[in-house]
Structures are given as structure tokens and as C-alpha cells.
Amino acid sequence: FFPDETYLLNNSILTSRLQSNRSSMPSVFITGANSFIAFHTVKLLEQGYSAVGTVRSECKFPYFLNASRNYYKNLEPVVVEDITAPGAFDYVVKTRAFNAVFHLSSPFVFNSCHLSTNDNIAQDLLEPAIKGTTEIVKSIKSYGLTVKRVVITSSFVAMVDQKQHPRPGYVYTEGDWNPTTYEEGPEHPMNGYFASMTLTEQAFCIKKYKMNFGRAVEKENSPLHH
């Protein structure tokens, strides 16, 4: 039996019971819970974890809940409409005792009609990626007292200089960065994506250094997900 989203959201008795069951489990916080990678991240539930995941609207709840039908009792979706807003994640982080955070929320938009202006590329690709990441770092630093590990998903494009790519035999390291600047990002949707991934990762590194973050951090730069 897997309840539809209306039943799950409106049945207060069920919600209370689910929260009670989750309280005794190690807990993870997943931003961008309806994303492709999140569907695989919730497999942590098979190892006895509970998860709280953010989506931008209630209509996204079914995607999150369907990610693992066998473990839906340990999934709690919450709405964070604007990840760029100051304190966007504060309430979720301060009201729960998370063991780890997976920051997976980042825009991936290549609709050429929608991203037809420089303003749209900056607004829909660059700003959410960069500010969403700095906001989660600030929330964890301020309120995530129990958080021991943070995982940030980036992309291989954050490391690639497309003017030199491909580079057969070249070994990429943490010192490699895509040279696309914020100013170049709005020139084309692809540039916007390259810049968003690169500047997001750099902003995270700078923010955690300045704030003396004090948590174990893992960054994932995969070239392809399938």
C-alpha cells in the first residue's frame, strides 16, 4: 500500500506517527529531493536512515515520495520555494537533528526559449546555484549542530576548460577550474550552466573557509549521470 500525496499530506494522525518513527533514526537532509540524483540518494533509507527533502512546491511531493515506495514512511518532504532567499533553509535545519546534508538542489535548464535573455540566464541558472549553496552553508553553520558531513554535487564541467577539451591523458585535480566567468555566463545557456557549476563550487569553498565550517565535506564532480 502506497498512499497518494493527498492522503499523506492531509492525514495528521499518519503524519504524527511517521514523525515519531523517524525520531529514533539517523537523519539526512536532501535539498532538491525530486532530482535524478536524489532518487538514488534515498537508498540510504535501506540502511536505516530517515530523510527530509526539499521541493519547491507541493506538486513536486509525489516525485519525492515515489522515489522509494518501500521506505516512504521514512521520507518527509518540505517546501522551500526560493533557495536564494536569506535563511531559506534555516527553519528546516534548526528544527531537526540531521547527521548529514546532501545539497543536490541546483537548476538545470536549457530551454532556449525561456533562457532567451541574459536576465533569465542569470536569474534561473546562476543565482539559484550560487546563492542556494551559500544559504545551505550558512544554515548548517548556524543551526546544524549535529551535522557531521556535507555532500555537495557539482559537475565535471566545473573543472573543464572547454577551449582545451578534450585533453587525452590529462589528469584533472582540485586545482582545475572552468574559466567561464559570471559575466560570460549570461551570454549563452551553456555558458550559464558552466558558470553556475564553477562559481557555485568556488563560492562554497570560500564560504566554508571564511566561516570555519568544521564539517567533513565531499564534492562530487561526475561527468555524466544515467
Side-chain angles (χ1 to χ4, degrees), residues 159-161 164-172 176:
M159 306 172 71
V160 173
D161 183 346
Q164 300 187 55
H165 190 72
R167 303 167 75 178
Y170 183 78
V171 178
Y172 287 88
D176 289 293

Side-chain angles (χ1 to χ4, degrees), residues 97-183:
F98 295 116
N99 300 90
V101 174
F102 292 80
H103 181 54
L104 312 181
S105 182
S106 189
F108 187 79
V109 182
F110 285 114
N111 186 320
S112 59
C113 294
H114 177 68
L115 297 178
S116 58
T117 70
N118 291 359
D119 288 342
N120 283 350
I121 293 175
Q123 176 181 324
D124 295 334
L125 283 178
L126 297 175
E127 293 301 309
I130 298 168
K131 290 184 178 179
T133 299
T134 55
E135 286 303 320
I136 192 65
V137 170
K138 289 190 289 185
S139 294
I140 295 169
K141 176 62 177 179
S142 298
Y143 305 110
L145 302 181
T146 59
V147 175
K148 298 180 176 65
R149 185 174 297 275
V150 178
V151 178
I152 302 288
T153 54
S154 182
S155 170
F156 184 58
V157 302
M159 306 172 71
V160 173
D161 183 346
Q162 55 267 41
K163 294 178 181 179
Q164 300 187 55
H165 190 72
R167 303 167 75 178
Y170 183 78
V171 178
Y172 287 88
T173 70
E174 290 186 352
D176 289 293
W177 293 100
N178 188 308
T180 307
T181 65
Y182 187 98
E183 291 72 25

Side-chain angles (χ1 to χ4, degrees), residues 82-91 131 135 138-139:
D82 183 4
I83 64 174
T84 69
F89 303 104
D90 283 358
Y91 179 77
K131 290 184 178 179
E135 286 303 320
K138 289 190 289 185
S139 294

Side-chain angles (χ1 to χ4, degrees), residues 4 15 26 37 45 53 57 59 63 73 80 83-85 88 93 96 98 109 133 139 152 165 199 217 221:
D4 63 33
T15 300
I37 297 177
L45 304 178
S57 64
C59 69
Y63 297 99
K73 291 182 180 181
V80 175
I83 64 174
T84 69
V93 176
R96 293 157 174 87
F98 295 116
V109 182
T133 299
S139 294
I152 302 288
H165 190 72
L199 298 174
V217 174
N221 296 77

Side-chain angles (χ1 to χ4, degrees), residues 36-56:
F36 175 79
I37 297 177
F39 287 176
H40 296 275
T41 304
V42 295
K43 290 183 179 180
L44 282 169
L45 304 178
E46 300 173 6
Q47 302 176 29
Y49 285 81
S50 65
V52 175
T54 68
V55 291
R56 285 182 291 178

